[in-house]
Amino acid sequence: MSLFFLLSLPLLLSSPPPLNPYPYDTSYRIDCGGQTNFTNNFNDSWLSDRFFTGGSPSLVAEPHLFLQQQEKTIRFFPISFGKKNCYILNVPNGRYHFRMFFVYDNYDGKLHSPSFDVSVEGTLVFSWRSPWKEDFSRTGAYSDLFAFVKDGEADICFYSIATDPPVIGSLEIIQVDPLSYDSSTTGDHLILINYGRLTCGSGSLGSGLTNDTDLFGRGWQTDVDFLKGNGVSIKAIATRNNIRATNQEHNYFPMHLYQTAVTVVGDGALEYELPVDAKMDYLVWFHFAEIDSSITAAGQRVIDVHINGRNVSRIDIFKQVGSFTAFNWHYVVKNLNSTTLSVKLVPVAGSPLISGLENYALVPRDLATVTEQVTAMRALKESLRVPDRMGWNGDPCAPPTWDAWEGVTCHPNKDKSALVVSQIDLGSQGLKGYISEQIGLLSNLVSLNLSYNSLHGTIPSGLGQKYLTRLDLSNNFLSGSIPDSLISSSLQLVLLNDNEFEGQVPYELYSIGVHGGAIDTCSKEK
């Protein structure tokens, strides 16, 4: 494959602003591990590290290798902070672009890149496994996705594999148009994970790479490493002309993306190969603009689009939009059965041409915990003074593949629309607080064990849910009376012994023992 530029012209340094003011103003750029706010060379404002649930800051081993300030510091999460830690930000509901920078660079001197998982909005999105590729480990890698926030909180969580400490270098959260990337068709239940976002015929551009404005905060990687030669002479072309229909709703694609393109000299097809994971659906987004002024009519450049050998569409850019106007088209690949996505542009008339290419895995959102039960569990975390080592951060039940909160068991509700808490087992954990009244919101609780701690206060009147069958509050310092709410036909085991209760035990509780259950209400000896 030979690659050369047809035009060697100075390109625009920045895209013009959109015709109408960009209506989405929520954005956070967090320098994980960083101690000060700053503005970088591209006029992006970065915040010092905040919104985290735990962990410690550190510095990469070779900061001189990194050009951008936010890439030189990290936050890592030792196992002493629990297996699950998060960044949690209060944001308006809507769609967001999440972009993360991961790097190891032997910051801890152990020569062991960590294994960990990453979730966004309770859905597993990235998995890092030791050993990392050398270039990723030493100089880092960006990963990004689009997801909807529906509960007023953007949650990005990290889960330790074995005892490895997860690590992150920077975090960006940018609000985007909720109708972007055809969400009106695909819905708001899918997360779009970037598996390749390419600009054709130019160097990399966009957020953190050049001064080119991308209102979504997208970074566009040069396509050179993904082009297959196949003996075809490939040329890059460019223009100084403005491109119409750019920086517009709903996708706000930057003009610079369409001011360059690749085509071929003579006969031949353009072919890209993108690495993917098998058994997933992918959204492939194509970007075209007819920037060759010699094309003046429909039919002069016609392209067949082949994806993994299948002819899926025929494109005539000029016929669609004329010249110097952005045109984009997308296609969904269902249940891809290979680890390579092949995109081939086959000429029907003239030579093939393309300005950009994106590929997103369509990942269904995992179930989340019922909102009121999240409220209850967070209240319990505070009232029971649950230690950091137990990892009670983010959603109590999600992702369901994680053992999210130590001592907590969850399952789907009846209609499989959400997760609910079914068991809490915190016996002998050194807890020194009290039982929050919010525990009454855990309407699906089957078993509660808070025995052998140092809990004070009374038993909440809301405790005694209809599904509760096992209750062990023994060996604490609970006081007051035993509430009538515990009179439940579902209870099969009630252990309240060795506390400091006063008054009479409700007579009906003793029927548990009569019907084959077990009950012990003996108080501490004074």
Side-chain angles (χ1 to χ4, degrees):
M1 176 182 70
S2 59
L3 177 66
F4 62 92
F5 281 88
L6 179 65
L7 297 176
S8 182
L9 298 175
L11 300 175
L12 296 176
L13 291 179
S14 60
S15 300
L19 297 177
N20 298 311
Y22 188 64
Y24 309 101
D25 57 2
T26 300
S27 65
Y28 293 92
R29 289 182 171 89
I30 301 170
D31 178 15
C32 302
Q35 303 300 308
T36 58
N37 300 341
F38 67 93
T39 301
N40 67 9
N41 294 334
F42 306 117
N43 205 35
D44 296 323
S45 297
W46 285 82
L47 299 173
S48 60
D49 205 1
R50 61 192 71 183
F51 306 123
F52 49 81
T53 61
S56 302
S58 190
L59 188 71
V60 295
E62 303 166 291
H64 61 280
L65 296 179
F66 300 87
L67 298 178
Q68 301 190 58
Q69 182 173 335
Q70 73 274 11
E71 297 177 348
K72 300 180 181 183
T73 57
I74 63 169
R75 174 159 293 274
F76 67 101
F77 303 96
I79 197 65
S80 58
F81 287 91
K83 291 184 72 70
K84 181 180 181 182
N85 280 276
C86 306
Y87 278 81
I88 301 176
L89 295 80
N90 293 323
V91 297
N93 288 345
R95 197 177 207 183
Y96 288 83
H97 180 219
F98 295 78
R99 187 170 187 241
M100 292 158 247
F101 178 69
F102 298 100
V103 64
Y104 172 61
D105 192 38
N106 197 32
Y107 76 92
D108 55 3
K110 296 181 178 179
L111 296 173
H112 175 75
S113 51
S115 295
F116 61 94
D117 287 339
V118 183
S119 72
V120 170
E121 293 302 285
T123 300
L124 176 64
V125 291
F126 304 126
S127 293
W128 288 89
R129 294 295 181 265
S130 184
W132 299 11
K133 291 181 180 180
E134 177 62 26
D135 54 341
F136 291 167
S137 177
R138 190 172 186 193
T139 60
Y142 283 92
S143 300
D144 71 279
L145 56 86
F146 292 94
F148 281 89
V149 173
K150 302 179 181 181
D151 60 356
E153 284 187 352
D155 296 355
I156 305 92
C157 296
F158 309 86
Y159 186 76
S160 170
I161 303 299
T163 59
D164 286 0
V167 61
I168 183 170
S170 68
L171 172 62
E172 299 169 74
I173 303 175
I174 311 295
Q175 190 176 14
V176 302
D177 192 317
L179 295 178
S180 58
Y181 291 101
D182 196 28
S183 69
S184 60
T185 300
T186 59
D188 61 4
H189 67 289
L190 293 175
I191 293 179
L192 275 58
I193 301 178
N194 177 18
Y195 271 70
R197 184 184 297 116
L198 308 180
T199 173
C200 304
S202 75
S204 298
L205 63 92
S207 179
L209 300 169
T210 66
N211 280 326
D212 300 280
T213 299
D214 187 310
L215 293 169
F216 284 12
R218 290 166 293 214
W220 299 80
Q221 183 180 0
T222 182
D223 67 334
V224 172
D225 293 336
F226 302 92
L227 266 171
K228 288 188 65 179
N230 297 331
V232 176
S233 292
I234 298 174
K235 65 182 179 183
I237 63 175
T239 183
R240 292 176 176 174
N241 292 350
N242 285 341
I243 308 298
R244 292 180 290 273
T246 58
N247 279 316
Q248 293 183 7
E249 63 179 16
H250 297 285
N251 295 299
Y252 293 89
F253 293 124
M255 180 183 291
H256 193 169
L257 175 66
Y258 299 94
Q259 290 178 308
T260 65
V262 292
T263 184
V264 300
V265 178
D267 297 328
L270 283 172
E271 186 171 3
Y272 290 89
E273 283 192 349
L274 301 175
V276 295
D277 291 315
K279 306 301 180 183
M280 298 175 68
D281 295 347
Y282 290 88
L283 173 66
V284 189
W285 208 277
F286 295 80
H287 300 274
F288 303 100
E290 186 52 79
I291 59 174
D292 183 346
S293 57
S294 69
I295 302 296
T296 59
Q300 292 180 336
R301 190 193 306 278
V302 182
I303 308 162
D304 277 348
V305 179
H306 293 245
I307 296 181
N308 279 26
R310 181 184 177 190
N311 189 342
V312 296
S313 185
R314 178 164 290 184
I315 302 291
D316 184 334
I317 306 168
F318 194 96
K319 182 178 180 180
Q320 291 289 338
V321 295
S323 60
F324 298 99
T325 304
F327 173 67
N328 54 76
W329 175 82
H330 60 277
Y331 182 82
V332 175
V333 182
K334 294 285 189 179
N335 195 27
L336 186 65
N337 59 7
S338 72
T339 57
T340 300
L341 180 73
S342 170
V343 173
K344 193 171 185 178
L345 304 180
V346 179
V348 177
S351 300
L353 174 144
I354 188 170
S355 292
L357 182 64
E358 298 175 86
N359 184 37
Y360 296 98
L362 299 176
V363 178
R365 287 175 62 121
D366 280 331
L367 297 180
T369 306
V370 172
T371 301
E372 65 179 15
Q373 297 201 17
V374 174
T375 300
M377 293 301 290
R378 290 180 177 176
L380 279 176
K381 175 186 176 180
E382 296 302 317
S383 71
L384 297 175
R385 302 180 190 174
V386 175
D388 290 344
R389 59 178 169 78
M390 302 195 75
W392 280 35
N393 299 305
D395 189 304
C397 301
T401 53
W402 293 1
D403 179 16
W405 287 24
E406 186 177 339
V408 177
T409 302
C410 304
H411 66 261
N413 60 4
K414 285 186 177 181
D415 62 4
K416 312 294 184 183
S417 63
L419 298 171
V420 294
V421 176
S422 58
Q423 296 184 48
I424 300 175
D425 186 356
L426 298 179
S428 304
Q429 294 296 335
L431 306 180
K432 297 181 179 180
Y434 64 95
I435 305 173
S436 170
E437 289 283 348
Q438 300 283 353
I439 197 170
L441 296 176
L442 301 179
S443 57
N444 304 89
L445 194 62
V446 174
S447 176
L448 175 64
N449 176 17
L450 300 176
S451 63
Y452 289 92
N453 286 292
S454 298
L455 300 178
H456 293 77
T458 61
I459 298 178
S461 59
L463 187 59
Q465 296 88 334
K466 65 178 180 179
Y467 297 114
L468 189 65
T469 60
R470 300 174 62 88
L471 176 64
D472 188 353
L473 303 179
S474 62
N475 291 278
N476 281 285
F477 296 95
L478 298 172
S479 59
S481 60
I482 298 174
D484 292 338
S485 60
L486 292 187
I487 301 170
S488 167
S489 58
S490 297
L491 278 169
Q492 299 172 9
L493 174 71
V494 180
L495 300 178
L496 304 177
N497 55 288
D498 293 294
N499 279 286
E500 299 177 349
F501 295 119
E502 302 168 355
Q504 296 294 318
V505 176
Y507 175 78
E508 290 83 356
L509 274 182
Y510 289 112
S511 66
I512 294 171
V514 172
H515 291 93
I519 180 168
D520 189 341
T521 61
C522 296
S523 295
K524 293 180 185 290
E525 294 185 5
K526 297 184 179 180

